[in-house]
Amino acid sequence: MILVGSPLKGNELSKLKEFLKQMNLEYDEGIEYSVCMLDDNYQIIATGSVEENVLKCIAVDPSHQGEGLSGSILTNLIHYEFEHGRVHLFIYTKPKNRSMFEELNFYTVIETPDVLFMENRSNGFTKYIEILQKETPSEAFLPDKTIGSVVMNCNPFTLGHHYLLEKAAAACDYVHVFVLSDKRSYIPANDRFELVRQGGRDIPNLVLHQTSDYMISAATFPTYFMKDKIQAKKANCRLDVELFAQKIAPALQITKRYVGTEPNCEVTDIYNQTMKKILPQHQITLEEIPRIENEAGIISASTVRENFKSEKWDDIKRMVPDTTFQYLKKLQV
């Protein structure tokens, strides 16, 4: 018997959470759809869930493994995703599950000791690298060029972001700017990308890219298969940094990565510490730029968002480029 929900609620959700707990997994609160297979006693024996285009919380009771239940679960989830126009799908799971998902036509993007990142396209990441290279001026591939990089969410784009880009651009021939395609951000991904493009147009040697689903943020990284949430945050950072260092940076000849100091956000600080450890192993220098402040205080996107909610427009104006300011004013309408 198959039980579906969008998402499950009440007693059915409680049963699902308990089953996942028995499988050493946790229910991710962002789940939008779940499917469960029940035995004759109406007990869950297999399950899987979806959040956006990520398949997660997939588990089969050990006493029912080998019965093809994982394939049935995955088929149901993929059908749901396709019905919602999502054809490029991802899985974050434990490395020990690699062969199981390979048999179900998923392909490894990258693997660390703690996390396996897979997709349902055999050449998906290769195609993404080709897009990045096409977006890059041919001169940036010459051997005598110094190539830097910045990864930003820009929610929204501030004068602090602009300052970081200025510093990077002054020290490099070209700077690749990766704007995260995080769907959970306050401002939509396409709008954030456009704010960076407009706000940074006075810096000529920037090369802007959207990250698609390959470079992730802490908000979208699933932690359901890790009990220790601090360790999960570190695993998230390591996965993202290793993907950048092993595959993206070499393809674009990047040798420097620039970040702002982060005195307040624990996750960002963990991320910076992870980069300090991993990037030098791949001949990439990490440059940490102190955050700037003015009469309105330390310039940060989170402060701008708080000021936006309370309509402190004078403070906002001192923290963002005019293009961002005009965008936020339009949002108010």
Side-chain angles (χ1 to χ4, degrees), residues 34 104 109 113 177 251 331:
S34 297
L104 298 170
V109 177
V177 184
L331 280 186

Side-chain angles (χ1 to χ4, degrees), residues 120-184:
N120 66 334
R121 294 179 179 174
S122 60
N123 61 348
F125 188 76
T126 300
K127 292 292 186 183
Y128 175 64
I129 290 294
E130 291 175 356
I131 291 172
L132 296 181
Q133 291 173 331
K134 288 179 181 177
E135 293 172 342
T136 303
S138 58
E139 292 83 359
F141 293 105
L142 296 176
D144 62 336
K145 301 299 182 183
T146 299
I147 308 300
S149 62
V150 179
V151 180
M152 294 177 158
N153 198 26
C154 299
N155 188 32
F157 185 70
T158 69
L159 292 175
H161 293 121
H162 188 277
Y163 176 75
L164 178 61
L165 294 180
E166 275 187 317
K167 286 291 187 180
C172 300
D173 294 294
Y174 289 93
V175 177
H176 291 277
V177 184
F178 299 91
V179 183
L180 294 174
S181 304
D182 183 359
K183 298 179 180 66
R184 297 191 194 185

Side-chain angles (χ1 to χ4, degrees), residues 111-123:
E111 179 180 345
T112 68
D114 299 307
V115 185
L116 174 64
F117 179 30
M118 308 185 80
E119 63 179 331
N120 66 334
R121 294 179 179 174
S122 60
N123 61 348

